[in-house]
């Protein structure tokens, strides 16, 4: 049992922070409130037939009461789009495992088979309050493979899984064009990218219809098409890499054509067409990079504010290693500096990504019964000088400064 007392609570359930306590037992938040006092703790322990515990006498090696006066407690941060463990810290792109550039259509690839839990970036992520990441293939292919949501602690990827798969990656724009132009192979234009995606989805539709028919003439197992059938059945969304406004609109057009769920990732020019995104799931980022290619010429740190003013809900992501994952809160802080409400900035790295990936019933906010993924800071988390004091994943302290 762990009890944090007198902290500034940023719950993502209440619009304003307040001073209060949070009680954790096992991997769950038991109680969040203004006064989780000693009597409440005792009643809770008695309900579990536990030994008596007083505020001044902690019973058991794993029981702690921590005075968090002046500290800020928030949900563990969630990065909704990155490539941690696939493009490992200290390796160049050629040494990474993020892009299978041999075929523009590879939806059958699974991030779980390529992520290295010993990537140094996992340690930096959790020590800075990032407790869950959504990682997967890069954007070389029109269909790149399956993303996974994992915890940032662990030695075995199978034990780190939060949700698998989360989505199938699709990509529009310059990256597939560049990769396959160099191979003198389609797709070399935006039209060919859209056509390649449509053809794959139509083939998956036909495969799905044949699978559903009675009789012995069912098609042979096809891992590529099986992955896309999950998308067609809305079991998982298409995770669409799109920077330019026209690519975003093409993505929306194709998604409507096949009636599939999807997210718009990066969405660099989304603030130029915000009126078309009010009911869409948007993942913004990276926000603080140079305009290294033509698709980024309208990159703006004001985009989060503009989108929010238009009624668009979004997550902020690092696209690690493009922005090192430990700087996720700094990306949110810079968005707040440019006019995004501070609480909205925090939601963009906690509850909003949790909703987008479909795990908000378990994490993303501080609420009774949710998994205890928690970050404790010595200052407000959006303060550039803030440092983590404690980080908990599944109720265990994985970092203590």
């Amino acid at each position: 049992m762990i009890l944090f007392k007198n902290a500034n609570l940023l719950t993502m359930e209440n619009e304003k922070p307040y001073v209060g306590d949070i009680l954790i037992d096992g991997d769950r938040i038991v109680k969040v409130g203004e006064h989780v006092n000693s009597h409440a703790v005792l009643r809770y322990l008695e309900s579990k037939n536990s030994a008596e515990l007083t505020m001044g006498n902690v019973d058991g090696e794993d029981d702690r009461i921590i005075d968090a006066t002046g500290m800020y407690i928030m949900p563990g941060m969630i990065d909704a789009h990155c490539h941690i463990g696939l493009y490992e810290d200290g390796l160049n792109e050629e040494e990474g495992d993020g892009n299978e550039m041999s075929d523009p259509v590879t939806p059958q690839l699974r991030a779980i088979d390529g992520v290295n839990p010993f990537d140094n970036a996992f340690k930096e992520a959790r020590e800075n309050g990032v407790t869950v990441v959504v990682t997967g293939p890069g954007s070389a292919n029109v269909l790149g493979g399956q993303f996974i949501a994992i915890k940032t602690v662990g030695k075995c990827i199978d034990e780190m899984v939060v949700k698998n798969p989360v989505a199938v990656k699709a990509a529009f724009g310059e990256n597939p064009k560049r990769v396959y132009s160099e191979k003198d192979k389609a797709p070399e234009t935006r039209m060919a990218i859209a056509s390649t995606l449509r053809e794959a989805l139509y083939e998956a539709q036909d495969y799905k219809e044949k699978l559903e028919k009675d009789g012995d003439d069912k098609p042979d197992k096809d891992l590529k098409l099986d992955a896309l059938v999950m998308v067609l059945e809305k079991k998982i969304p298409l995770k669409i890499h799109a920077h330019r406004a026209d690519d975003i609109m093409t993505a929306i057009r194709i998604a409507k054509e096949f009636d599939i769920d999807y997210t718009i990732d990066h969405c660099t020019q989304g603030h130029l067409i915000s009126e078309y995104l009010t009911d869409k799931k948007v993942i913004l980022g990276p926000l603080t990079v140079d305009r290294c290619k033509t698709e980024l010429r309208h990159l703006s740190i004001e985009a989060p504010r503009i989108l929010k003013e238009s009624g668009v809900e979004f997550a902020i992501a690092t696209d690690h290693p493009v922005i090192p994952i430990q700087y996720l809160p700094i990306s949110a802080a810079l968005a707040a500096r440019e006019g995004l409400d501070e609480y909205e900035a925090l939601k963009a790295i906690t509850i909003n990504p949790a909703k987008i990936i479909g795990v908000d019933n378990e994490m993303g906010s501080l609420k009774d019964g949710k998994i205890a993924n928690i970050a404790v800071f010595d200052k407000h988390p959006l303060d550039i000088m803030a440092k983590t004091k404690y980080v908990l994943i599944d109720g265990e302290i994985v970092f203590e400064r």
Side-chain angles (χ1 to χ4, degrees):
M1 185 219 68
I2 302 171
L3 177 64
F4 287 97
K5 296 286 294 179
N6 305 316
N8 297 294
L9 298 178
L10 299 160
T11 66
M12 305 301 113
E13 294 282 337
N14 304 86
E15 287 304 314
K16 293 183 179 180
Y18 63 91
V19 175
D21 310 332
I22 180 167
L23 175 65
I24 299 151
D25 190 44
D27 66 347
R28 297 283 165 171
I29 297 171
V30 174
K31 185 68 177 175
V32 181
E34 292 187 5
H35 300 291
V36 182
N37 57 32
S38 57
H39 297 294
V41 176
L42 286 169
R43 284 196 301 272
Y44 172 69
L45 290 171
E46 286 168 1
S47 73
K48 295 185 64 182
N49 298 316
S50 299
E52 183 172 312
L53 171 71
T54 68
M55 296 300 288
N57 179 30
V58 178
D59 182 80
E61 292 182 358
D62 297 327
D63 294 335
R64 297 182 65 176
I65 296 173
I66 298 170
D67 182 3
T69 302
M71 299 181 194
Y72 288 79
I73 299 183
M74 65 177 289
M77 287 175 272
I78 301 172
D79 193 329
H81 184 111
C82 68
H83 308 284
I84 189 171
L86 289 166
Y87 286 116
E88 295 178 44
D89 186 48
L91 301 183
N92 59 37
E93 185 171 352
E94 289 72 24
E95 296 171 305
D97 278 315
N99 278 313
E100 175 60 49
M101 294 182 287
S102 57
D103 182 346
V105 179
T106 57
Q108 77 279 16
L109 303 184
R110 302 174 185 180
I112 194 170
D113 297 325
V115 173
N116 181 4
F118 291 92
D119 182 354
N120 292 331
F122 282 109
K123 179 175 183 290
E124 292 179 324
R126 65 177 176 268
E127 289 184 355
N128 287 276
V130 182
T131 57
V132 171
V133 293
V134 180
T135 186
S139 50
N141 296 343
V142 177
L143 286 161
Q146 299 165 38
F147 268 62
I148 187 173
I150 53 176
K151 295 173 283 190
T152 55
V153 65
K155 295 181 178 180
C156 172
I157 187 68
D158 303 85
E159 297 173 357
M160 298 163 67
V161 172
V162 172
K163 185 176 182 180
N164 181 41
V166 168
V168 170
K169 173 73 173 287
F172 287 83
E174 298 303 322
N175 287 5
K177 283 178 56 181
R178 172 181 51 79
V179 168
Y180 289 97
S181 291
E182 290 173 356
K183 298 176 183 295
D184 195 22
K185 177 180 178 181
E188 296 187 32
T189 65
R190 281 179 162 81
M191 293 180 291
I193 290 171
S195 173
T196 299
L197 178 57
R198 278 195 180 94
E199 287 174 0
L201 289 171
Y202 275 123
E203 189 176 353
Q205 276 187 339
D206 184 57
Y207 176 76
K208 178 175 177 290
E209 290 172 2
K210 291 177 180 177
L211 284 175
E212 292 169 349
K213 288 182 179 179
D214 295 328
D216 299 326
D217 57 343
K218 292 185 182 296
D220 293 336
K221 185 76 171 175
D222 190 315
L223 293 180
K224 284 187 176 183
L225 298 179
D226 282 336
L228 294 179
V229 167
M230 288 192 292
V231 174
L232 293 172
E233 292 179 342
K234 297 188 176 182
K235 292 179 179 177
I236 55 174
L238 207 58
K239 188 176 182 66
I240 303 174
H241 162 116
H243 287 284
R244 260 175 40 171
D246 56 338
D247 288 329
I248 294 169
M249 297 308 297
T250 298
I252 293 171
R253 184 182 315 116
I254 294 175
K256 285 182 178 179
E257 185 178 329
F258 290 90
D259 187 28
I260 58 176
D261 293 333
Y262 61 99
T263 63
I264 301 296
D265 291 52
H266 306 310
C267 204
T268 304
Q269 291 186 3
H271 61 291
L272 303 180
I273 53 169
S274 57
E275 65 270 28
Y276 296 98
L277 301 176
T278 53
D279 60 344
K280 308 297 186 289
K281 293 180 178 179
V282 172
I283 300 172
L284 280 178
L287 293 173
T288 56
V289 292
D290 65 323
R291 298 180 180 92
C292 57
K293 54 184 180 180
T294 57
E295 293 176 312
L296 302 181
R297 63 182 178 275
H298 291 107
L299 178 70
S300 173
I301 196 63
E302 294 185 64
R305 173 186 59 79
I306 295 168
L307 287 171
K308 183 60 187 176
E309 288 174 351
S310 298
V312 181
E313 296 291 338
F314 55 85
I316 291 174
T318 62
D319 199 24
H320 175 95
V322 179
I323 296 175
I325 200 161
Q326 63 266 32
Y327 300 136
L328 179 60
I330 292 178
S331 296
L334 290 172
R337 188 193 69 182
E338 298 305 319
L340 180 65
D341 176 79
E342 283 189 357
Y343 212 71
E344 293 297 329
L346 289 174
K347 285 170 65 177
I349 54 175
T350 54
I351 191 62
N352 289 0
K355 289 178 179 177
I356 286 172
I357 64 176
V359 297
D360 54 301
N361 62 323
E362 289 285 324
M363 58 191 67
S365 66
L366 303 179
K367 185 179 180 181
D368 297 1
K370 284 196 171 184
I371 293 173
N373 290 349
I374 294 170
V376 184
F377 289 86
D378 61 351
K379 296 179 176 64
H380 192 284
L382 298 183
D383 186 331
I384 188 69
M385 300 300 290
K387 292 183 178 180
T388 48
K389 296 287 288 184
Y390 303 90
V391 178
L392 287 76
I393 296 178
D394 289 347
E396 293 188 16
I397 296 176
V398 297
F399 176 73
E400 181 175 353
R401 192 176 298 278

